[in-house]
């Protein structure tokens, strides 16, 4: 069974409510205006791609990373962007979405084409792309993952402590008010509340206001609800494939039969996961809310994004040196100014054993 045939089988298990592979992709509207935030995010993504590009080429003796993903310095609102965007949409329907990087064996690398084939028409490099051993989609995140996870651990611990203290206070000081038949269900709920059940607990705030004690009790339930909501917030950083990209990634795999991966770059570590594993994870509904969620990403034009717990992937770089950064002024038509941040430098320290394991190549030959 070829790689594509394995992926094809997996797509049959993905819920149609998430991705319906039998339907054509939704047509994207041409953006009309870029924002400073959008350009900063784009610059961060370009930096993450360059970080991995350099890390692989500076580390490997037998493999070479080549820039392949369709990209341009133009942004919405500039001359030429509409043409670039429409050509990009046409290519998505023809071959699918190019991953940002391709990995070639050194013997297959074409020095004439060089290290950047992103601007070459796909018909000119079709046979060359098929020689790649991997395509890598690079995603970036403006977080230090270790710092984030420690902060979330402390937040959850504090919120659990607050919630259980409120539970005990209600049961010890207001059980007489809750002993009435119409309120007794609250006693049952509170008695069942512990460090395990609190992660799925839910209740309606009563809204009592007829006496001073009932108002005080109602306020305690309000505080309890707030604490529980804090506990139940997603507490992990994620690898973030957009739902709209799943179909066009699949189209690219169908076209070239080259293994595809997502690499998520944080400012302290890098995690990788195969497209094959992504499909496996989202095909199991029991995983939703545990190791993945589906959310509208406000930082990405509210596009629906699958957020997979990063540590379900492989830590392919255990350390990243942060880049230098500086502000840039960009003048648009009619004198509109955008100010954004650009990034330079930085180093990703690859874990060769883990990287070669996820790519399916021998460590000794890397």
């Amino acid at each position: 069974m070829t790689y594509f045939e394995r992926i094809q089988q997996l797509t049959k298990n993905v819920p149609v409510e998430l991705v319906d592979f039998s339907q054509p992709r939704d047509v994207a509207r041409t953006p009309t205006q870029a924002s400073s935030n959008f350009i900063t995010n784009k610059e961060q993504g370009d930096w993450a791609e360059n970080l991995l590009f350099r890390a692989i080429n500076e580390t490997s003796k037998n493999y070479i990373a080549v820039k392949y993903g369709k990209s341009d310095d133009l942004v919405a609102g500039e001359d030429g962007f509409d043409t670039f965007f429409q050509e990009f949409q046409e290519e998505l329907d023809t071959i699918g979405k190019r991953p940002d990087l391709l990995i070639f064996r050194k013997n297959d690398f074409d020095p004439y084409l060089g290290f950047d084939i992103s601007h070459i028409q796909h018909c000119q490099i079709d046979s060359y792309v098929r020689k790649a051993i991997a395509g890598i989609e690079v995603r970036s995140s403006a977080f230090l993952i270790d710092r984030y996870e420690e902060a979330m651990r402390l937040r959850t611990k504090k919120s659990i402590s607050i919630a259980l203290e409120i539970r005990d206070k209600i049961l010890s000081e207001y059980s007489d008010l809750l002993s009435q038949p119409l309120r007794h269900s609250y006693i049952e709920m509170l008695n069942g509340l512990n460090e395990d059940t609190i992660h799925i607990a839910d209740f309606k705030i009563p809204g009592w206001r007829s006496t001073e004690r009932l108002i005080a009790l109602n306020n305690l339930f309000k505080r309890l609800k707030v604490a529980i909501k804090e506990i139940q917030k997603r507490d992990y950083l994620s690898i973030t494939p957009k739902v709209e990209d799943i179909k066009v990634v699949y189209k690219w795999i169908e076209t070239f039969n080259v293994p595809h991966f997502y690499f998520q770059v944080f400012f302290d570590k890098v995690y990788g996961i195969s497209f094959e594993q992504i499909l496996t994870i989202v095909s199991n509904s029991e995983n939703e809310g545990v190791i993945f969620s589906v959310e509208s990403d406000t930082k990405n034009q509210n596009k629906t994004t699958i957020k997979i717990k990063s540590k379900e992937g492989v830590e392919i770089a255990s350390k990243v040196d942060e880049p230098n950064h500086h502000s840039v002024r960009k003048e648009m038509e009619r004198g509109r100014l955008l100010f954004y941040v650009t990034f330079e430098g930085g180093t990703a320290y690859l874990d060769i054993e883990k990287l070669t394991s996820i790519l399916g190549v021998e460590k000794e030959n890397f």
Side-chain angles (χ1 to χ4, degrees):
M1 184 180 288
T2 66
Y3 170 71
F4 167 67
E5 288 171 339
R6 293 203 312 273
I7 296 298
Q8 188 178 44
Q9 285 297 116
L10 284 171
T11 61
K12 296 176 181 177
N13 300 324
V14 176
V16 294
E17 294 82 1
L18 186 58
V19 185
D20 189 347
F21 288 93
S22 69
Q23 299 298 315
R25 72 180 185 91
D26 294 333
V27 178
R29 294 182 179 178
T30 305
T32 57
Q33 183 171 278
S35 66
S36 297
N37 200 35
F38 173 84
I39 302 177
T40 294
N41 288 336
K42 182 180 182 298
E43 289 287 326
Q44 183 181 305
D46 291 344
W47 166 77
E49 178 184 323
N50 285 324
L51 182 81
L52 286 174
F53 171 79
R54 289 186 288 105
I56 293 170
N57 288 331
E58 291 170 3
T59 304
S60 179
K61 297 179 181 178
N62 296 309
Y63 291 89
I64 293 176
V66 173
K67 294 184 179 183
Y68 173 59
K70 197 82 169 176
S71 63
D72 200 283
D73 290 335
L74 292 171
V75 297
E78 291 186 310
D79 289 340
F81 177 81
D82 288 359
T83 300
F84 164 77
F85 187 80
Q86 289 307 314
E87 290 175 351
F88 175 60
Q89 296 303 307
E90 291 170 7
E91 184 173 277
L92 290 180
D93 290 326
T94 305
I95 66 167
K97 186 177 189 294
R98 300 187 185 200
D100 296 306
L101 301 175
L102 292 177
I103 309 297
F104 289 96
R105 295 180 183 87
K106 196 169 187 178
N107 292 338
D108 292 325
F109 173 68
D110 188 337
Y112 176 76
L113 293 174
F115 290 93
D116 188 343
I117 60 174
S118 62
H119 295 286
I120 301 177
Q121 293 292 322
H122 64 84
C123 58
Q124 298 177 265
I125 52 175
D126 182 279
S127 58
Y128 182 50
V129 172
R130 294 175 191 276
K131 296 179 181 179
I133 64 109
I136 299 174
E137 182 74 12
V138 182
R139 307 289 291 162
S140 66
S141 179
F143 278 93
L144 299 168
I145 188 170
D146 282 348
R147 183 78 62 85
Y148 179 90
E149 291 195 340
E150 176 61 14
M152 292 303 99
R153 185 188 68 79
L154 294 175
R155 184 200 72 180
T156 300
K157 181 179 178 181
K158 179 180 179 181
S159 296
I160 288 175
S161 177
I162 290 171
L164 296 182
E165 284 180 11
I166 295 171
R167 174 204 63 183
D168 293 342
K169 182 178 179 66
I170 293 173
L171 289 173
S172 64
E173 299 181 17
Y174 297 91
S175 58
D176 59 315
L177 295 179
L178 296 177
S179 62
Q180 296 181 17
L182 294 179
R183 300 172 185 161
H184 197 267
S185 59
Y186 283 100
I187 291 182
E188 295 175 357
M189 182 273 292
L190 292 168
N191 282 330
L193 207 59
N194 55 48
E195 290 191 13
D196 294 323
T197 61
I198 203 165
H199 293 277
I200 58 171
D202 192 19
F203 64 90
K204 180 181 178 181
I205 298 172
W208 299 318
R209 298 192 59 81
S210 59
T211 69
E212 186 175 339
R213 287 189 73 219
L214 279 173
I215 291 173
L217 176 56
N218 195 72
N219 288 336
L220 286 172
F221 274 115
K222 284 183 180 179
R223 290 175 53 203
L224 178 59
K225 186 84 169 183
V226 169
I228 289 175
K229 282 186 175 181
E230 282 295 302
I231 294 164
Q232 294 176 352
K233 287 180 180 177
R234 178 167 57 84
D235 61 354
Y236 58 83
L237 291 176
S238 51
I239 298 170
T240 55
K242 295 193 291 289
V243 167
E244 69 176 23
D245 284 351
I246 297 294
K247 287 183 183 179
V248 286
V249 168
Y250 175 70
K251 177 69 175 177
W252 186 84
I253 293 170
E254 181 183 29
T255 305
F256 296 103
N257 192 37
V258 172
H260 189 285
F261 303 84
Y262 273 80
F263 283 6
Q264 191 81 27
V265 177
F266 299 99
F267 279 96
D268 55 348
K269 291 185 177 182
V270 182
Y271 286 83
I273 192 170
S274 68
F275 188 69
E276 193 169 356
Q277 188 178 355
I278 289 172
L279 294 183
T280 300
I281 287 172
V282 302
S283 294
N284 186 349
S285 61
E286 293 184 0
N287 289 330
E288 187 169 8
V290 181
I291 61 175
F292 85 91
S293 61
V294 182
E295 304 174 18
S296 293
D297 197 334
T298 55
K299 291 183 288 186
N300 198 2
Q301 296 88 53
N302 287 318
K303 293 181 178 179
T304 304
T305 304
I306 299 170
K307 301 197 171 184
I308 299 172
K309 193 172 186 178
S310 295
K311 293 193 175 177
E312 289 298 308
V314 176
E315 186 184 288
I316 63 165
S318 58
K319 180 184 176 184
V320 172
D321 288 340
E322 291 185 33
N324 297 318
H325 58 277
H326 61 271
S327 175
V328 176
R329 173 189 180 275
K330 186 179 185 71
E331 184 173 338
M332 306 292 286
E333 292 183 358
R334 296 176 297 177
R336 178 171 173 247
L337 297 180
L338 294 176
F339 296 89
Y340 60 93
V341 178
T342 190
F343 306 85
E344 295 177 354
T347 301
Y349 298 87
L350 299 177
D351 185 318
I352 302 303
E353 184 172 348
K354 291 180 179 178
L355 176 62
T356 53
S357 174
I358 192 175
L359 295 178
V361 301
E362 294 181 3
K363 176 183 176 183
E364 294 74 18
N365 293 331
F366 188 75

